Amino acid sequence: VYSQESIPRGPEWGDVQRLLTTVEGDQPANIRDRAMLMLLSIYGLRAGEVRCLRLEAFDWCHERLTVPRGKTQTTHTYPLTRQVGNAVLRYLQIARPRSVHRQVFLTLRPPFRPLARGSVTGMVVRRWRRLGVELPHYGSHSLRHSCANHLLQEGLSLQEIGDHLGHKHP
């Protein structure tokens, strides 16, 4: 970290937990959005990475998630947490429309297709504003910053956090 640079601040982890409680229930939009919010906040994924995730990214037998990193053109494999796995599985079993598309997250109204650019960020912005949390930035990247700050508070080093987020350089 440069002397004039600070670690990006995101919403407090408690606010992220409150955000996740707003997407409980049996409505298809809530089921889908919960899975996406968990991927954004727990793994610190970028909106485009969530939007482009394919069904093959989830290795259910070995409980792994493989994410193609759009920015660095690499892949990153994570252990699939039970919490995230259950949320994604619930979406796939209950709310995901039948489709030939291999992307995990699809629109909920016909014609069913992969989410458009900006739709993940738009969903996060709407849900933050509905919650009434005051933030300098409401987009999906705020959850990436929350993830990083949460990991820092848990005692991980900047190198470990950078690795988790898929940064090329600390």
Side-chain angles (χ1 to χ4, degrees):
V1 178
Y2 298 103
S3 61
Q4 299 300 314
E5 184 180 2
S6 64
I7 296 171
R9 287 281 160 216
E12 296 294 324
W13 193 246
D15 289 333
V16 173
Q17 298 303 308
R18 283 187 29 224
L19 181 68
L20 289 171
T21 63
T22 68
V23 287
E24 292 175 347
D26 295 330
Q27 295 175 314
N30 282 352
I31 294 170
R32 181 194 64 190
D33 293 355
R34 181 174 182 78
M36 289 192 297
L37 287 169
M38 292 185 84
L39 287 163
L40 292 164
S41 60
I42 292 174
Y43 295 110
L45 300 184
R46 295 176 178 93
E49 293 166 346
V50 170
R51 187 177 62 83
C52 294
L53 270 181
R54 298 177 65 80
L55 295 170
E56 300 81 20
F58 293 90
D59 179 350
W60 300 104
C61 293
H62 297 100
E63 298 180 347
R64 286 190 293 229
L65 168 63
T66 301
V67 179
R69 296 288 190 182
K71 193 170 181 180
T72 60
Q73 305 301 310
T74 60
T75 58
H76 195 111
T77 302
Y78 294 96
L80 185 59
T81 68
R82 187 162 309 275
Q83 190 180 23
V84 173
N86 287 343
V88 172
L89 200 54
R90 184 167 187 244
Y91 164 69
L92 293 174
Q93 293 174 334
I94 296 172
R96 185 182 188 272
R98 292 196 186 279
S99 173
V100 297
H101 296 288
R102 300 302 295 167
Q103 286 84 357
V104 174
F105 298 106
L106 304 175
T107 59
L108 297 174
R109 289 187 221 138
F112 302 118
R113 60 189 177 279
L115 297 176
R117 185 179 295 262
S119 56
V120 175
T121 295
M123 176 273 294
V124 174
V125 168
R126 283 189 304 279
R127 293 204 176 266
W128 273 130
R129 290 206 168 125
R130 238 182 268 149
L131 191 59
V133 176
E134 289 290 322
L135 300 172
H137 304 286
Y138 288 91
S140 55
H141 219 69
S142 66
L143 293 171
R144 187 170 167 84
H145 292 170
S146 284
C147 174
N149 283 308
H150 179 67
L151 294 174
L152 187 62
Q153 290 171 356
E154 293 291 312
L156 274 71
S157 70
L158 291 179
Q159 177 67 49
E160 291 169 318
I161 294 167
D163 290 344
H164 179 80
L165 296 175
H167 290 172
K168 279 187 174 179
H169 305 287

